[in-house]
Amino acid sequence: QVHLVESGGGLVQAGGSLRLSCVASGSFFSEMGWYRQAPGKERELVARITSTGIPNYASSVKGRFTISRDNAKDTVILQMNSLKPEDTAVYYCNAETFINVYWGQGTQVTVSS
């Protein structure tokens, strides 16, 4: 059975940093990543990373966020720097096998101006 356990998030002032962590278990995941959903908006990609460490970022976070992955620990980390109020959202961990997609429960990130 697949489990995704997220940690991190919280409240930070604009310009600050936060670190999100997601520990996955129960399968091999070809890709892992983070999505976010702000109130009244659709869920959107933030960043993804393959099992070989190739990242992909949304243009809105490129240069500010860094995604990394530890395959030995089945963990994906999202380091978020230079946060902006528009980064405020619920952030969801995502993990994909070759046949299924899994989601974490979400963690709130709030950036105050």
Side-chain angles (χ1 to χ4, degrees):
Q1 192 170 2
V2 172
H3 292 283
L4 303 181
V5 179
E6 300 157 342
S7 61
L11 173 64
V12 66
Q13 288 187 332
S17 298
L18 284 173
R19 184 174 183 264
L20 304 182
S21 176
C22 176
V23 180
S25 62
S27 185
F28 168 77
F29 302 101
S30 55
E31 290 205 13
M32 298 182 71
W34 291 92
Y35 287 70
R36 67 187 181 187
Q37 188 167 18
K41 295 187 177 181
E42 293 186 355
R43 192 172 296 188
E44 63 177 6
L45 171 70
V46 177
R48 294 174 62 82
I49 188 166
T50 69
S51 59
T52 56
I54 300 172
N56 180 37
Y57 296 96
S59 58
S60 60
V61 306
K62 199 171 293 186
R64 300 187 296 123
F65 292 10
T66 302
I67 191 169
S68 60
R69 179 170 176 170
D70 185 338
N71 288 329
K73 298 180 180 179
D74 291 324
T75 300
V76 60
I77 302 292
L78 185 68
Q79 178 65 42
M80 305 185 292
N81 298 328
S82 302
L83 282 161
K84 304 176 181 179
E86 51 263 44
D87 294 318
T88 295
V90 177
Y91 284 68
Y92 295 91
C93 178
N94 166 276
E96 295 185 6
T97 66
F98 294 112
I99 56 175
N100 280 319
V101 178
Y102 301 92
W103 295 93
Q105 77 280 6
T107 185
Q108 177 70 44
V109 171
T110 303
V111 185
S112 63
S113 57

